[in-house]
Structures are given as structure tokens and as C-alpha cells.
Amino acid sequence: MAMFQPEIETMSRDEIRAHQLEKLKWQVKRVYENVPMYRERMNEAGVSPDDIVNLEDLAKLPFTTKQDLRDYYPFDLLAVPKKDIVRIHASSGTTGKQIVSGYTRNDLETWADGFARQLAATGADSKSVVQVSYGYGLFTGGLGAHQGAQKIGAMVIPTSSGNTERQIRFMCDLGTTHLCCTPSYAMYLGETVREMGVKNQLKLKAGIFGAEPWTEDMRAQIEETLGITAYDIYGLTEVMGPGVSYECHMQQGMHICEDMFIPEIIDPDTGEVLPEGSFGELVFTTITKEGQPLIRYRTRDLCTLDYSQCECGRTHVRMKKPAGRTDDMLIIRGVNVFPSQIEEVLLKNSIEVSPNYQILVDRVNNTDTLDINVELSPKFDGDVEKEKKNLEMQLRSTLGIGAKVHLLRPKSIVRSEGKAKRVIDNRNLR
Ligand code: ADP
Ligand code: ZN
């Protein structure tokens, strides 16, 4: 597949490192001079911008956390005068109080480049019809995909999310070739396409799905119901938005735009940088961002980095699909449980159950309870009680604790048009 910026996407490791060092020095100097929080923290840590001599010196710098973005909300982390900010986005607030991010004109261009690299990697070009079914607004999904599609000169259909049947009618009528939305909405769209019986009217070739975790089984289902190749895209508001990293046709991890970001993997407990290939928390330093640059931002996303050569020809490091966030993890009866583990079990049984589910955690008589509501697949014609026992057994062996499964009629769980809300933890309400 074609590349949007081949000269950047195939830079040699030496070129990448040289570029990163130059940009890192520039950025550290800027934040030291313009952002009081960074100046104070660097002074406390006894580091000055002159101490950044090679890339390894990055580890001398203090981390930035989501709490910092809340504490310095809304504008105290800007490295430019407020008049140079041309757009504001806000995180979806999945995990607490909202944070905002300010972009300069150049920041928006850089971001569009990131998304455009993803589009090109899926085979999109100026002849493509790109339907953006991510929500438009403060969420970075809609406008992020929109400006990326504009950058490659595609025809953009800004449907935003929702109004699902109309979305599909547009896809058929306008000949949409590329769909951008959350994977959970792609599942819902696929389900509706099947119900409407219009799969053969679709011109879809590829979909670009991100903003929330999804599994390989979910990918297979989406590819099947929509008749496409499904690509994974990653990003976060704090750092930029979708396009921080993107998948190529090898579908073997997402290439991080290393000309824009320096990634690190750290031990989430000690903050120590881990050796190449380790599993840990992903940290980003934004080396080109002007508006609200972040030094060593802790994403809380857990994954590994793969520096081996990708067969697609791109040289930028690949991150594996995040396995979950440090703060997604539930502690149930003392056992660490990631919602993705539950999803995996359900999706392995997808002939019997549909991937629509909800995880309910509560505390009854001082004991944590774990209940999982999951819809039966419309194709199900077996013994409900037996299927329930089967799922409970598989969950117990995967999670190490028992869960109660409730099998529901198809379509009884409300569908997501944006990021799915899978976990309802009522323990803190008591
Ligand atoms: P919020 O943190 O409020 O949800 P964002 O919309 O900025 O705000 O979400 C960014 C987060 O979404 C990332 O930190 C990551 O946890 C998750 N995410 C984004 N893209 C992906 C992806 N492709 N796979 C898994 N998780 C993703
Ligand atoms: Zn590749």
C-alpha cells in the first residue's frame, strides 16, 4: 500500500534518532522557558535543558500525569500565548474529570498527517469516499479523521455517530469506501447491515477503528459483517488524538509516528524504563507539538514495543494493541481482572453469544460480586442453562474467580455509538 509520507515513514533508525534528539532538545528548552510547571519540576530534579545531550537523557526528566492536566486545567500547560491556540479538544472523560488540549495551526497539520498516514496505509487516496462515523465535537475522533481524510483529498462524509440506518443508506448511496468509527460502533453497524440485508450494496474496502480496546475476534467479526479489512488506530487527546500510531496492512501492531513522539515503556510501579520488548506502561514525549507539549506523559495504557523491521517497509516502531489501562483493572475479591479477559472468553464463544455484554461489579455483605450480562446470538438454538454453565466455567479458569453469567435475549443490551461502556462498578456508590 502507498505511504503518505514515505520519506518520513521509512527513515533509518539513525535518522530517526538524530531527528528525535534535535527535536527533544528544542522541546525541553521551550517547556523550560514557557511552562512554569516544567521549569519547577526540572529545577527540583536538578536537570536543565543543557543536560539533554543524548536520547537516553530523556529518563532524567520528570513524568507528566493525567492529574497534572487536571491540576493545571485549562491553560497552564500551554507553551505558546493563548492567541496562538486555534482549537480545543477534550478527553471523553472515560476515567474521571475532563482534561483539555490546545492545538496551534501547525499542531492540527501534524495531526492530520498522522491520520493521513493511516488512511494511505489502508489504500485510501483522493478517489476514496471516507465516511466519518466518529462523534464530532470535543472528542478527537470525528475531527481527527475528518482532517486526515481532507489531507489526502478524499471525499469526506461527516455523518458523525448515531442514526445508524441512515449511516448505512449513505454508505450504499454515496459509495463509501472507507469507514472511520469506534470498533464497538462498527460492530453495531455490521449488525444493522445484516438486518437490512444490504451487504452486497456496500462499496466498503477498509475501516479504521480505534479510541477503545478491541480484540482480534472482534476484528474478524467486523471484517466479516462489513466485508472489509479492519485497521486499528490509536491515539489520545492529551498527546494528539487518533493517528499517534496506526496499523499497516500487515496488521501486526501499530506504527508510532516517531518523528512526532518518543515512546518509552516503563514499570508502572517504579517508573523505571524497561528493556526493549518488555510489557509495561506506555509513555510519550511530544517532540513537535507546539500548543500543549507533554514531556514523558504516562498514558496508563499497557503494551509492548516492537523495533523489528516490518515487512511493509515502514521503519517506525510498532506498539502492540494495548492490553488495557492500568486504571481499567478491576480488583475483585483481591484478584486483578481486566475487562479484556472477559471479552476474550465471550468472543471465543461467539456462535452462541453475541459480543454485546456488560460487566457489573458490586459489593454485597462485604463481598465483591461479579455479574456478566451477555446476549445470546440470534443463531443460538441450544440449551441456555448448559451454555451458561459452560461460560461460567471458562471465565473461572481464565480469571481465577467465579462470575455469574446472565444470558439475555438478542438486542437487550443498548448499543454503543461511540466508546462502549462495558463496566459498571457500583461498589463505590455504597
Ligand atoms: P479518555 O481517556 O477520556 O477515554 P480519549 O478519547 O483521549 O479519552 O481516549 C484515549 C484512550 O483510549 C487511550 O489512552 C487508550 O486507552 C484508548 N484507546 C485509543 N485507541 C485505542 C486502540 N486502538 N486500542 C485500544 N485502546 C485505545
Ligand atoms: Zn508495517
Side-chain angles (χ1 to χ4, degrees), residues 238-266:
E238 301 90 303
V239 167
M240 185 167 85
V244 170
S245 67
Y246 60 96
E247 227 174 28
C248 63
H249 64 277
M250 304 309 300
Q251 297 184 321
Q252 297 276 324
M254 296 175 273
H255 290 283
I256 295 174
C257 295
E258 279 194 277
D259 52 322
M260 309 173 192
F261 312 106
I262 305 179
E264 298 170 274
I265 294 287
I266 63 161

mmCIF file of all heavy atoms in Angstrom, residues 238-266:
data_model
loop_
_atom_site.group_PDB
_atom_site.id
_atom_site.type_symbol
_atom_site.label_atom_id
_atom_site.label_comp_id
_atom_site.label_asym_id
_atom_site.label_seq_id
_atom_site.Cartn_x
_atom_site.Cartn_y
_atom_site.Cartn_z
ATOM 1 N N GLU A 238 -4.682 13.873 25.050
ATOM 2 C CA GLU A 238 -3.593 14.586 25.706
ATOM 3 C C GLU A 238 -2.401 14.751 24.772
ATOM 4 O O GLU A 238 -1.738 15.785 24.744
ATOM 5 C CB GLU A 238 -3.121 13.811 26.949
ATOM 6 C CG GLU A 238 -4.186 13.585 27.999
ATOM 7 C CD GLU A 238 -4.946 12.269 27.774
ATOM 8 O OE1 GLU A 238 -5.526 12.097 26.675
ATOM 9 O OE2 GLU A 238 -4.958 11.431 28.687
ATOM 10 N N VAL A 239 -2.114 13.689 24.026
ATOM 11 C CA VAL A 239 -0.916 13.643 23.197
ATOM 12 C C VAL A 239 -1.192 14.205 21.792
ATOM 13 O O VAL A 239 -0.365 14.860 21.193
ATOM 14 C CB VAL A 239 -0.389 12.189 23.137
ATOM 15 C CG1 VAL A 239 0.648 12.001 22.063
ATOM 16 C CG2 VAL A 239 0.178 11.800 24.498
ATOM 17 N N MET A 240 -2.407 13.985 21.267
ATOM 18 C CA MET A 240 -2.784 14.492 19.948
ATOM 19 C C MET A 240 -4.220 14.137 19.626
ATOM 20 O O MET A 240 -5.088 15.005 19.557
ATOM 21 C CB MET A 240 -1.850 13.927 18.860
ATOM 22 C CG MET A 240 -2.090 14.491 17.473
ATOM 23 S SD MET A 240 -0.775 14.093 16.313
ATOM 24 C CE MET A 240 -1.250 12.472 15.708
ATOM 25 N N GLY A 241 -4.485 12.841 19.458
ATOM 26 C CA GLY A 241 -5.783 12.342 19.006
ATOM 27 C C GLY A 241 -5.493 11.122 18.158
ATOM 28 O O GLY A 241 -4.336 10.665 18.112
ATOM 29 N N PRO A 242 -6.461 10.551 17.455
ATOM 30 C CA PRO A 242 -6.194 9.341 16.666
ATOM 31 C C PRO A 242 -5.138 9.609 15.594
ATOM 32 O O PRO A 242 -5.185 10.634 14.921
ATOM 33 C CB PRO A 242 -7.557 9.021 16.028
ATOM 34 C CG PRO A 242 -8.329 10.294 16.079
ATOM 35 C CD PRO A 242 -7.849 11.008 17.311
ATOM 36 N N GLY A 243 -4.188 8.660 15.461
ATOM 37 C CA GLY A 243 -3.108 8.850 14.494
ATOM 38 C C GLY A 243 -1.753 8.926 15.177
ATOM 39 O O GLY A 243 -0.729 9.061 14.523
ATOM 40 N N VAL A 244 -1.720 8.826 16.506
ATOM 41 C CA VAL A 244 -0.440 8.733 17.214
ATOM 42 C C VAL A 244 0.274 7.479 16.703
ATOM 43 O O VAL A 244 1.471 7.485 16.446
ATOM 44 C CB VAL A 244 -0.661 8.657 18.750
ATOM 45 C CG1 VAL A 244 0.631 8.306 19.469
ATOM 46 C CG2 VAL A 244 -1.234 9.973 19.273
ATOM 47 N N SER A 245 -0.506 6.411 16.523
ATOM 48 C CA SER A 245 0.033 5.217 15.884
ATOM 49 C C SER A 245 -1.060 4.580 15.035
ATOM 50 O O SER A 245 -2.243 4.803 15.284
ATOM 51 C CB SER A 245 0.572 4.224 16.917
ATOM 52 O OG SER A 245 -0.483 3.704 17.684
ATOM 53 N N TYR A 246 -0.632 3.814 14.040
ATOM 54 C CA TYR A 246 -1.601 3.295 13.068
ATOM 55 C C TYR A 246 -1.084 1.995 12.489
ATOM 56 O O TYR A 246 0.111 1.754 12.409
ATOM 57 C CB TYR A 246 -1.808 4.324 11.952
ATOM 58 C CG TYR A 246 -0.538 4.657 11.210
ATOM 59 C CD1 TYR A 246 -0.218 4.027 10.010
ATOM 60 C CD2 TYR A 246 0.372 5.559 11.751
ATOM 61 C CE1 TYR A 246 0.982 4.292 9.362
ATOM 62 C CE2 TYR A 246 1.563 5.834 11.107
ATOM 63 C CZ TYR A 246 1.857 5.205 9.918
ATOM 64 O OH TYR A 246 3.053 5.458 9.291
ATOM 65 N N GLU A 247 -2.028 1.184 12.046
ATOM 66 C CA GLU A 247 -1.677 -0.132 11.531
ATOM 67 C C GLU A 247 -1.417 -0.094 10.027
ATOM 68 O O GLU A 247 -2.086 0.636 9.295
ATOM 69 C CB GLU A 247 -2.848 -1.081 11.785
ATOM 70 C CG GLU A 247 -2.431 -2.387 12.362
ATOM 71 C CD GLU A 247 -3.625 -3.249 12.731
ATOM 72 O OE1 GLU A 247 -4.702 -3.128 12.129
ATOM 73 O OE2 GLU A 247 -3.459 -4.057 13.628
ATOM 74 N N CYS A 248 -0.489 -0.925 9.579
ATOM 75 C CA CYS A 248 -0.290 -1.109 8.148
ATOM 76 C C CYS A 248 -1.002 -2.404 7.754
ATOM 77 O O CYS A 248 -1.593 -3.061 8.598
ATOM 78 C CB CYS A 248 1.203 -1.202 7.834
ATOM 79 S SG CYS A 248 1.979 -2.627 8.622
ATOM 80 N N HIS A 249 -0.909 -2.807 6.483
ATOM 81 C CA HIS A 249 -1.669 -3.983 6.053
ATOM 82 C C HIS A 249 -1.150 -5.286 6.640
ATOM 83 O O HIS A 249 -1.781 -6.329 6.510
ATOM 84 C CB HIS A 249 -1.720 -4.051 4.521
ATOM 85 C CG HIS A 249 -0.368 -4.231 3.894
ATOM 86 N ND1 HIS A 249 0.482 -3.182 3.670
ATOM 87 C CD2 HIS A 249 0.278 -5.336 3.478
ATOM 88 C CE1 HIS A 249 1.596 -3.638 3.127
ATOM 89 N NE2 HIS A 249 1.499 -4.945 2.998
ATOM 90 N N MET A 250 0.016 -5.255 7.297
ATOM 91 C CA MET A 250 0.499 -6.474 7.947
ATOM 92 C C MET A 250 -0.338 -6.808 9.182
ATOM 93 O O MET A 250 -0.329 -7.944 9.661
ATOM 94 C CB MET A 250 1.973 -6.343 8.375
ATOM 95 C CG MET A 250 2.961 -5.974 7.273
ATOM 96 S SD MET A 250 2.841 -7.001 5.800
ATOM 97 C CE MET A 250 3.189 -8.610 6.485
ATOM 98 N N GLN A 251 -1.026 -5.810 9.717
ATOM 99 C CA GLN A 251 -1.867 -5.973 10.919
ATOM 100 C C GLN A 251 -1.101 -6.623 12.068
ATOM 101 O O GLN A 251 -1.590 -7.517 12.744
ATOM 102 C CB GLN A 251 -3.136 -6.778 10.601
ATOM 103 C CG GLN A 251 -4.049 -6.089 9.588
ATOM 104 C CD GLN A 251 -5.339 -6.836 9.335
ATOM 105 O OE1 GLN A 251 -5.346 -8.066 9.275
ATOM 106 N NE2 GLN A 251 -6.451 -6.121 9.179
ATOM 107 N N GLN A 252 0.125 -6.146 12.269
ATOM 108 C CA GLN A 252 0.995 -6.725 13.303
ATOM 109 C C GLN A 252 1.484 -5.637 14.240
ATOM 110 O O GLN A 252 2.673 -5.498 14.466
ATOM 111 C CB GLN A 252 2.218 -7.381 12.645
ATOM 112 C CG GLN A 252 1.914 -8.539 11.735
ATOM 113 C CD GLN A 252 1.759 -9.823 12.509
ATOM 114 O OE1 GLN A 252 2.443 -10.039 13.489
ATOM 115 N NE2 GLN A 252 0.830 -10.661 12.083
ATOM 116 N N GLY A 253 0.598 -4.842 14.754
ATOM 117 C CA GLY A 253 0.982 -3.746 15.635
ATOM 118 C C GLY A 253 0.897 -2.419 14.917
ATOM 119 O O GLY A 253 0.849 -2.371 13.681
ATOM 120 N N MET A 254 0.856 -1.344 15.700
ATOM 121 C CA MET A 254 0.639 -0.013 15.129
ATOM 122 C C MET A 254 1.936 0.788 15.115
ATOM 123 O O MET A 254 2.605 0.932 16.140
ATOM 124 C CB MET A 254 -0.428 0.701 15.947
ATOM 125 C CG MET A 254 -1.777 -0.014 15.862
ATOM 126 S SD MET A 254 -3.023 0.738 16.937
ATOM 127 C CE MET A 254 -2.717 -0.108 18.476
ATOM 128 N N HIS A 255 2.286 1.321 13.935
ATOM 129 C CA HIS A 255 3.495 2.140 13.797
ATOM 130 C C HIS A 255 3.282 3.478 14.508
ATOM 131 O O HIS A 255 2.345 4.217 14.182
ATOM 132 C CB HIS A 255 3.774 2.409 12.317
ATOM 133 C CG HIS A 255 4.228 1.194 11.553
ATOM 134 N ND1 HIS A 255 5.506 0.703 11.652
ATOM 135 C CD2 HIS A 255 3.573 0.375 10.687
ATOM 136 C CE1 HIS A 255 5.628 -0.363 10.864
ATOM 137 N NE2 HIS A 255 4.464 -0.584 10.271
ATOM 138 N N ILE A 256 4.148 3.789 15.445
ATOM 139 C CA ILE A 256 4.053 5.075 16.154
ATOM 140 C C ILE A 256 4.737 6.147 15.301
ATOM 141 O O ILE A 256 5.843 5.916 14.804
ATOM 142 C CB ILE A 256 4.744 4.986 17.530
ATOM 143 C CG1 ILE A 256 4.005 3.990 18.423
ATOM 144 C CG2 ILE A 256 4.834 6.359 18.196
ATOM 145 C CD1 ILE A 256 4.678 3.707 19.755
ATOM 146 N N CYS A 257 4.120 7.285 15.106
ATOM 147 C CA CYS A 257 4.733 8.375 14.349
ATOM 148 C C CYS A 257 5.940 8.887 15.145
ATOM 149 O O CYS A 257 5.823 9.801 15.968
ATOM 150 C CB CYS A 257 3.735 9.507 14.112
ATOM 151 S SG CYS A 257 2.359 9.026 13.075
ATOM 152 N N GLU A 258 7.083 8.258 14.918
ATOM 153 C CA GLU A 258 8.254 8.557 15.752
ATOM 154 C C GLU A 258 8.913 9.883 15.429
ATOM 155 O O GLU A 258 9.782 10.339 16.161
ATOM 156 C CB GLU A 258 9.290 7.435 15.618
ATOM 157 C CG GLU A 258 8.985 6.235 16.483
ATOM 158 C CD GLU A 258 10.189 5.325 16.582
ATOM 159 O OE1 GLU A 258 10.390 4.507 15.653
ATOM 160 O OE2 GLU A 258 10.936 5.449 17.564
ATOM 161 N N ASP A 259 8.506 10.501 14.318
ATOM 162 C CA ASP A 259 9.017 11.845 14.063
ATOM 163 C C ASP A 259 8.290 12.863 14.950
ATOM 164 O O ASP A 259 8.758 13.970 15.142
ATOM 165 C CB ASP A 259 8.845 12.212 12.582
ATOM 166 C CG ASP A 259 7.409 11.994 12.106
ATOM 167 O OD1 ASP A 259 6.763 11.006 12.539
ATOM 168 O OD2 ASP A 259 6.914 12.830 11.329
ATOM 169 N N MET A 260 7.140 12.459 15.513
ATOM 170 C CA MET A 260 6.350 13.362 16.363
ATOM 171 C C MET A 260 6.448 13.012 17.848
ATOM 172 O O MET A 260 6.258 13.874 18.696
ATOM 173 C CB MET A 260 4.873 13.305 15.967
ATOM 174 C CG MET A 260 4.582 13.498 14.488
ATOM 175 S SD MET A 260 2.810 13.209 14.157
ATOM 176 C CE MET A 260 2.816 13.122 12.362
ATOM 177 N N PHE A 261 6.687 11.737 18.138
ATOM 178 C CA PHE A 261 6.645 11.286 19.532
ATOM 179 C C PHE A 261 7.814 10.359 19.842
ATOM 180 O O PHE A 261 8.189 9.544 19.010
ATOM 181 C CB PHE A 261 5.361 10.486 19.810
ATOM 182 C CG PHE A 261 4.128 11.171 19.294
ATOM 183 C CD1 PHE A 261 3.486 10.711 18.154
ATOM 184 C CD2 PHE A 261 3.633 12.296 19.936
ATOM 185 C CE1 PHE A 261 2.357 11.354 17.651
ATOM 186 C CE2 PHE A 261 2.510 12.946 19.444
ATOM 187 C CZ PHE A 261 1.874 12.480 18.310
ATOM 188 N N ILE A 262 8.331 10.463 21.068
ATOM 189 C CA ILE A 262 9.284 9.443 21.541
ATOM 190 C C ILE A 262 8.544 8.568 22.542
ATOM 191 O O ILE A 262 8.070 9.053 23.563
ATOM 192 C CB ILE A 262 10.513 10.073 22.227
ATOM 193 C CG1 ILE A 262 11.198 11.074 21.296
ATOM 194 C CG2 ILE A 262 11.487 8.974 22.669
ATOM 195 C CD1 ILE A 262 12.404 11.761 21.930
ATOM 196 N N PRO A 263 8.398 7.283 22.222
ATOM 197 C CA PRO A 263 7.728 6.380 23.165
ATOM 198 C C PRO A 263 8.729 5.718 24.113
ATOM 199 O O PRO A 263 9.891 5.514 23.764
ATOM 200 C CB PRO A 263 7.114 5.329 22.232
ATOM 201 C CG PRO A 263 8.046 5.273 21.062
ATOM 202 C CD PRO A 263 8.744 6.608 20.953
ATOM 203 N N GLU A 264 8.285 5.404 25.306
ATOM 204 C CA GLU A 264 9.069 4.612 26.260
ATOM 205 C C GLU A 264 8.116 3.620 26.916
ATOM 206 O O GLU A 264 6.912 3.873 26.982
ATOM 207 C CB GLU A 264 9.636 5.477 27.396
ATOM 208 C CG GLU A 264 10.602 6.564 26.999
ATOM 209 C CD GLU A 264 10.890 7.483 28.200
ATOM 210 O OE1 GLU A 264 10.118 8.430 28.426
ATOM 211 O OE2 GLU A 264 11.868 7.246 28.904
ATOM 212 N N ILE A 265 8.665 2.521 27.413
ATOM 213 C CA ILE A 265 7.868 1.588 28.224
ATOM 214 C C ILE A 265 8.473 1.574 29.620
ATOM 215 O O ILE A 265 9.671 1.346 29.788
ATOM 216 C CB ILE A 265 7.903 0.148 27.627
ATOM 217 C CG1 ILE A 265 7.205 0.099 26.265
ATOM 218 C CG2 ILE A 265 7.273 -0.864 28.590
ATOM 219 C CD1 ILE A 265 5.692 0.199 26.300
ATOM 220 N N ILE A 266 7.627 1.860 30.613
ATOM 221 C CA ILE A 266 8.133 1.903 31.984
ATOM 222 C C ILE A 266 7.394 0.900 32.873
ATOM 223 O O ILE A 266 6.300 0.443 32.542
ATOM 224 C CB ILE A 266 7.993 3.310 32.608
ATOM 225 C CG1 ILE A 266 6.510 3.732 32.711
ATOM 226 C CG2 ILE A 266 8.789 4.350 31.821
ATOM 227 C CD1 ILE A 266 6.249 4.853 33.699
#
